[in-house]
């Protein structure tokens, strides 16, 4: 298929609420009927976790195989933001994992194979994940378990056509320079079926994103990279003649327009200047030397109780490749908020992006959403609350275009939830913005994302935007 044909197939799928399963209600019926009694997650002391131990020089919590990931300590120093220096634990997982969606046409509409997957940190046990969601340690079977289902379509040449293949960064505040391979591959023939997997249209997936905690973070990042139009071309009204309301605004924001506030060259110059102007020095530390943190046999926690802690869990999951294991997780209290402000400029919807600098970023500043913060920290520390937060907490005359609670990755985070919001400001309302903010169309954000410049929080919000105005 040509690039144009692939994008047309994506567009048609994004508008389809009916597919192999007749509607979103049928998808939810299948998902809600899944047996959750087969899974058990129990808190356990860190020193009691099977195959995990505190290793010396520097002190870190790691798997005895030397694989999977480690919890390490770091010190960050920067002139960017309200806090000049801090210490924290961070996940060091140098492997590149696969987050892959398998696609095929069913009755002329592109479908994607989604999995009802258990993760130990999920607040609701099961969420919909990509077809394959696996670290290199997992799919190379370091755990001595089974190979992930459908892995061969992503790793064996010739098994499927590659429609999308990009390295994308994970959370720079929690992972040290972590990237995953985001993929969409397509097949023409039949695919072996399994009871934990179902074929869904892109429209059904985006409709499910209007429900709390159904589509997991790893699926959202892959979906965010699927184009809704050709960002290098103007709109094709013949294809979207029956699309209206905010869905039409999203489509037009994805297309090329002479109403863009900034050219791509100007936006790249803005990002490059931010990378050059703002830096962060990161140095490794022993876990037991982190300022403000306490390391015990049971957990690693901050003395204020305001930030995340590191806990241990023992897991039994009869549908996973390994059916029982132990691991640390980063536990988060409260609920964060991640949001984009948007506004029409010249009639075209623009999104307010923010330069984001985190200690785990691989290449300095990335493009983030307007706001990303922890509710607990924002309430306890006024100076730490991000600018523009009030527009989300008290929208006033602004229009809330999207508002749902979504979980972060349950394989590393325990009950970590964020409220994701898109709030549209009235036209002409001006904001006094620092130089690390910039207005972009959705198409410009997508072009930046395909080169790895957009962080995962912003990509998660991009995934939630679709062409369907009224969703169930």
């Amino acid at each position: 298929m040509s690039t144009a044909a692939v994008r047309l197939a994506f567009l048609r799928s994004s508008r389809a609420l009916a597919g192999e399963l007749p509607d979103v209600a049928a998808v939810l019926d299948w998902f809600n009927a899944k047996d959750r009694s087969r899974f058990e997650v129990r808190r356990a002391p860190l020193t009691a976790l099977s195959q995990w131990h505190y290793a010396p020089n520097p002190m870190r919590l790691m798997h005895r195989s030397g694989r999977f990931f480690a919890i390490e300590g770091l010190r960050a120093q920067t002139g960017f933001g309200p806090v000049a220096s801090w210490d924290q634990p961070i996940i060091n997982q140098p492997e590149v994992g696969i987050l892959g969606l398998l696609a095929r046409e069913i009755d002329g509409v592109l479908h994607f194979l989604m999995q009802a997957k258990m993760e130990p940190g999920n607040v609701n046990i099961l969420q919909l994940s990509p077809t394959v969601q696996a670290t290199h340690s997992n799919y190379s079977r370091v755990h001595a378990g089974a190979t992930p289902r459908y892995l061969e379509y992503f790793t064996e040449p010739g098994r499927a056509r590659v429609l999308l293949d990009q390295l994308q960064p994970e959370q720079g505040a929690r992972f040290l320079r972590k990237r995953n391979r985001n993929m969409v591959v397509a097949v023409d023939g039949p695919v072996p079926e399994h009871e934990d997997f179902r074929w869904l249209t892109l429209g059904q997936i985006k409709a499910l994103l209007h429900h709390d905690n159904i589509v997991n973070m790893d699926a959202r990042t892959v979906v965010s990279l699927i184009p809704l139009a050709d960002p290098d071309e103007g709109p094709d009204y013949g294809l979207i003649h029956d699309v209206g309301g905010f869905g039409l605004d999203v489509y037009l924001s994805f297309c090329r327009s002479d109403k863009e506030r900034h050219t791509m060259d100007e936006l790249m110059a803005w990002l490059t200047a931010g990378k050059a102007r703002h830096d962060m020095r990161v140095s490794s530390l022993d876990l037991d030397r982190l300022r403000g943190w306490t390391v015990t046999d049971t957990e690693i926690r901050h003395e204020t109780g305001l930030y995340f802690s590191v806990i241990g869990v023992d897991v039994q999951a009869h549908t996973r490749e390994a059916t029982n294991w132990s691991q640390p997780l980063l536990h988060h209290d409260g609920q964060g908020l991640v949001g984009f402000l948007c506004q029409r400029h010249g009639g075209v919807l623009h999104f307010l992006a923010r330069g984001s600098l985190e200690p785990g970023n691989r290449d300095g500043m990335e493009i983030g959403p307007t706001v990303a913060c922890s509710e607990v920290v924002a309430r306890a520390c006024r100076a730490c609350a991000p600018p523009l937060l009030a527009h989300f907490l008290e929208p006033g005359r602004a229009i809330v275009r999207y508002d749902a609670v979504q979980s972060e990755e349950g394989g590393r985070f325990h009950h970590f939830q964020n409220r994701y919001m898109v709030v549209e400001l009235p036209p002409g309302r001006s904001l006094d913005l620092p130089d690390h903010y910039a207005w972009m169309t959705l198409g410009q954000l997508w072009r930046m994302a395909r080169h790895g410049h957009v962080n995962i929080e912003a990509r998660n919000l991009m995934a939630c935007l679709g062409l369907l105005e009224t969703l169930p």
Side-chain angles (χ1 to χ4, degrees):
M1 296 174 73
S2 68
T3 300
V6 169
R7 288 178 175 171
L8 180 60
F10 285 149
L11 174 64
R12 287 174 173 163
S13 184
S14 72
R15 299 176 54 201
L17 285 176
E20 185 181 58
L21 290 172
D23 52 31
V24 174
V27 180
L28 288 170
D29 287 344
W30 165 75
F31 177 74
N32 292 329
K34 301 299 294 182
D35 182 8
R36 288 157 172 80
S37 65
R38 297 176 293 172
F39 310 106
E40 185 177 2
V41 180
R42 299 185 309 275
R43 291 279 293 264
L46 292 175
T47 54
L49 297 180
S50 175
Q51 300 300 312
W52 292 83
H53 70 123
Y54 283 119
N57 303 319
M59 182 187 181
R60 61 205 184 279
L61 181 64
M62 64 181 297
H63 196 266
R64 293 188 184 279
S65 68
R67 303 287 296 277
F68 298 104
F69 64 96
I71 307 294
E72 301 179 353
L74 65 74
R75 174 164 296 163
Q77 296 172 293
T78 182
F80 181 77
V83 181
S85 179
W86 70 91
D87 296 352
Q88 68 167 87
I90 198 163
I91 301 170
N92 187 354
Q93 185 175 348
E95 303 175 345
V96 174
I98 293 176
L99 309 177
L101 282 173
L102 182 61
R104 67 183 285 249
E105 283 196 354
I106 300 175
D107 295 329
V109 177
L110 200 63
H111 285 60
F112 303 87
L113 191 59
M114 300 288 286
Q115 175 184 184
K117 186 179 180 71
M118 179 272 185
E119 291 287 5
N122 284 350
V123 68
N124 53 348
I125 306 296
L126 293 176
Q127 294 188 15
L128 293 180
S129 81
T131 317
V132 170
Q133 173 187 314
T135 67
H136 189 272
S137 289
N138 282 341
Y139 68 75
S140 58
R141 303 180 59 238
V142 174
H143 50 43
T147 301
R149 288 185 177 87
Y150 308 110
L151 176 68
E152 64 274 15
Y153 293 99
F154 300 89
T155 58
E156 296 180 10
R159 292 298 298 262
R161 301 187 310 279
V162 176
L163 305 185
L164 185 155
D165 190 358
Q166 300 173 18
L167 287 178
Q168 292 291 341
E170 299 292 304
Q171 290 95 334
R174 300 291 181 265
F175 286 99
L176 185 63
R177 297 187 289 275
K178 176 78 173 78
R179 295 187 297 178
N180 276 320
R181 191 177 180 186
N182 290 234
M183 303 180 70
V184 179
V185 302
V187 294
D188 296 320
V191 173
E193 296 182 359
H194 188 273
E195 62 180 355
D196 291 332
F197 294 76
R198 283 294 182 273
W199 292 101
L200 305 183
T201 68
L202 186 56
Q204 289 174 330
I205 296 169
K206 284 184 175 283
L208 291 168
L209 282 165
H210 285 251
H211 297 257
D212 293 350
N213 295 321
I214 299 293
V215 181
N216 80 358
M217 186 198 79
D218 294 312
R220 296 194 303 268
T221 178
V222 181
V223 167
S224 75
L225 303 170
I226 297 176
L228 299 176
D230 187 339
D232 297 316
E233 299 289 342
D236 186 336
Y237 289 99
L239 294 175
I240 47 96
H241 61 90
D242 56 348
V243 175
F246 190 65
L248 179 60
D249 295 328
V250 167
Y251 173 78
L252 295 177
S253 183
F254 210 100
C255 297
R256 174 74 75 181
S257 170
D258 60 3
K259 303 298 184 182
E260 294 167 348
R261 287 192 62 165
H262 306 287
T263 66
M264 284 303 298
D265 286 343
E266 289 170 342
L267 290 173
M268 277 304 306
W270 166 79
L271 180 60
T272 301
K275 289 176 180 288
R277 187 180 305 120
H278 306 293
D279 69 340
M280 182 174 290
R281 295 172 298 284
V282 176
S283 53
S284 177
L285 285 178
D286 295 85
L287 284 174
D288 60 357
R289 294 182 57 199
L290 298 179
R291 297 171 299 184
W293 293 83
T294 300
V295 178
T296 71
D297 290 348
T298 302
E299 63 181 351
I300 304 170
R301 65 179 184 275
H302 195 267
E303 59 189 15
T304 65
L306 295 178
Y307 303 96
F308 66 89
S309 58
V310 183
I311 65 170
V313 294
D314 292 326
V315 185
Q316 290 186 344
H318 299 295
T319 63
R320 291 290 301 267
E321 295 83 18
T323 56
N324 59 82
W325 72 92
S326 301
Q327 70 169 94
L329 290 171
L330 271 58
H331 172 76
H332 296 73
D333 288 318
Q335 189 180 96
L337 193 149
V338 178
F340 264 128
L341 289 179
C342 62
Q343 190 178 45
R344 296 165 201 274
H345 298 280
V348 176
L349 204 62
H350 286 64
F351 295 81
L352 185 57
R354 170 183 53 89
S356 175
L357 187 60
E358 302 289 358
N361 288 3
R362 177 175 287 269
D363 185 30
M365 186 170 283
E366 296 176 345
I367 297 171
T370 315
V371 164
C373 71
S374 160
E375 174 192 40
V376 177
V377 175
R379 287 181 175 177
C381 173
R382 280 186 172 271
C384 301
L388 307 174
L389 179 62
H391 292 280
F392 298 91
L393 301 181
E394 300 174 3
R397 293 178 54 228
I399 303 172
V400 178
R401 294 298 190 179
Y402 179 83
D403 189 356
V405 175
Q406 304 292 354
S407 294
E408 304 310 315
E409 209 275 303
R412 297 294 176 266
F413 304 128
H414 183 256
H415 294 186
F416 185 11
Q417 300 178 87
N418 280 311
R419 182 184 180 190
Y420 281 82
M421 299 183 70
V422 177
V423 175
E424 183 180 352
L425 297 176
R429 183 171 179 177
S430 61
L431 298 174
D432 185 17
L433 298 172
D435 63 5
H436 61 283
Y437 287 81
W439 290 101
M440 304 184 188
T441 66
L442 187 56
Q444 289 174 328
L445 276 167
W446 182 84
R447 286 196 289 268
M448 287 290 197
R450 68 185 299 195
H451 296 294
H453 296 312
V454 176
N455 74 12
I456 197 164
E457 291 87 359
R459 298 199 310 275
N460 274 213
L461 273 170
M462 291 166 61
C464 299
L465 297 170
L467 303 188
L468 299 168
E469 171 73 4
T470 303
L471 295 170

